[in-house]
């Protein structure tokens, strides 16, 4: 039989895990020491098994989130991945801190000894986890071939954004038989 560690990098195992989840189910896994921006591409470094694990999560999950926690009792920050069976978990993950506080209040159970169930976690704490650290973004964009969304890193957020919408009143552009047209002048460097 194969060693136990190989089961976590097995597609059959991941399929079974995701099939056993409810429609709104999630999987949370601790995935080791947090990377730095100086780490090589994940498939080339010491974390190549973590990259294989992420590829399996990506194949089965509808949404994924990575966060780091420096307060886990290790000498270095450790990373966690949350993989969701449904994309609806994005709404909860990116909720405002007051909505998170409300959900905690509504859903947390009382302990038998009257101690707090959560000591260091609230909506404000959660908001610090909502966006992946820069090192994770950097490592992700070192994949070969580079993922498409990495082309949009470093955009100037002060520039005006022009949106396309099927409702002509909301759209900055219109589509006609001859091509796309803007209702006003659009500089080359803006989005």
């Amino acid at each position: 039989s194969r060693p136990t560690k190989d089961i976590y990098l097995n597609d059959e195992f991941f399929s079974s895990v995701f099939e056993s989840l409810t429609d709104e189910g999630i999987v949370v896994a601790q995935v080791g020491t947090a990377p730095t921006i100086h780490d090589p591409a994940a498939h080339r470094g010491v974390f190549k098994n973590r990259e294989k694990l992420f590829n399996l999560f990506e194949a089965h999950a509808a949404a994924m989130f990575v966060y780091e926690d420096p307060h886990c009792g290790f000498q270095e920050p450790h990373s966690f991945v949350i993989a969701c069976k449904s994309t609806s978990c994005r709404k909860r993950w990116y909720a405002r801190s007051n909505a998170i506080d409300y959900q905690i209040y509504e859903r947390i159970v009382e302990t038998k000894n009257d101690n707090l169930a959560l000591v260091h976690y609230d909506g404000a704490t959660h908001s610090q986890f909502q966006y992946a650290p820069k090192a994770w973004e950097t490592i992700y964009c070192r994949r070969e071939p580079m993922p498409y969304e990495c082309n949009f890193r470093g955009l100037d957020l002060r520039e005006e954004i022009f949106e396309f919408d099927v409702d002509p009143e909301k759209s900055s552009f219109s589509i006609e038989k001859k091509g796309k047209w803007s209702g006003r002048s659009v500089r080359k460097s803006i989005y």
Side-chain angles (χ1 to χ4, degrees), residues 5-64:
K5 69 176 184 159
D6 290 344
I7 193 169
Y8 300 111
L9 299 176
N10 180 299
D11 188 60
E12 189 177 323
F13 171 75
F14 264 78
S15 294
S16 298
V17 168
F18 276 87
E19 286 172 15
S20 70
L21 296 174
T22 65
D23 290 342
E24 297 294 318
I26 66 169
V27 174
V28 180
Q30 194 256 59
V31 291
T33 306
T36 71
I37 60 170
H38 305 294
D39 288 352
H43 68 280
R44 294 185 181 185
V46 295
F47 295 114
K48 57 182 161 254
N49 282 342
R50 179 163 64 190
E51 179 68 4
K52 290 176 188 175
L53 179 73
F54 272 60
N55 290 332
L56 286 168
F57 273 128
E58 289 169 0
H60 295 281
M64 280 179 53

Side-chain angles (χ1 to χ4, degrees), residues 22-180:
T22 65
D23 290 342
E24 297 294 318
I26 66 169
V27 174
V28 180
Q30 194 256 59
V31 291
T33 306
T36 71
I37 60 170
H38 305 294
D39 288 352
H43 68 280
R44 294 185 181 185
V46 295
F47 295 114
K48 57 182 161 254
N49 282 342
R50 179 163 64 190
E51 179 68 4
K52 290 176 188 175
L53 179 73
F54 272 60
N55 290 332
L56 286 168
F57 273 128
E58 289 169 0
H60 295 281
M64 280 179 53
F65 310 102
V66 176
Y67 70 94
E68 295 176 2
D69 189 352
H71 307 291
C72 295
F74 299 102
Q75 291 181 352
E76 297 178 8
H78 269 56
S79 302
F80 300 83
V81 62
I82 297 175
C84 307
K85 192 170 181 179
S86 168
T87 57
S88 67
C89 74
R90 285 185 182 134
K91 183 178 179 183
R92 291 186 300 276
W93 182 258
Y94 292 115
R96 293 177 175 250
S97 62
N98 60 342
I100 298 291
D101 286 336
Y102 176 76
Q103 287 298 317
I104 290 171
Y105 176 79
E106 285 290 309
R107 299 176 72 174
I108 202 76
V109 295
E110 290 186 32
T111 60
K112 293 185 185 221
N113 61 6
D114 291 331
N115 289 340
L116 296 173
L118 296 176
V119 178
H120 300 292
Y121 194 85
D122 61 6
T125 304
H126 179 81
S127 67
Q128 297 173 1
F129 296 136
Q130 288 177 330
Y131 299 98
K134 186 71 169 178
W136 277 102
E137 181 181 295
T138 302
I139 298 299
Y140 175 76
C141 288
R142 288 186 178 145
R143 286 180 169 181
E144 296 171 2
M146 184 177 76
Y148 173 75
E149 57 271 21
C150 294
N151 291 319
F152 302 102
R153 289 178 27 165
L155 296 180
D156 187 351
L157 300 177
R158 296 168 295 183
E159 286 288 352
E160 188 174 359
I161 297 174
F162 293 86
E163 297 284 346
F164 174 76
D165 195 297
V166 291
D167 180 357
E169 297 295 320
K170 296 179 184 176
S171 185
S172 301
F173 301 92
S174 63
I175 296 180
E176 299 175 9
K177 287 185 179 186
K178 295 181 182 179
K180 298 176 193 165

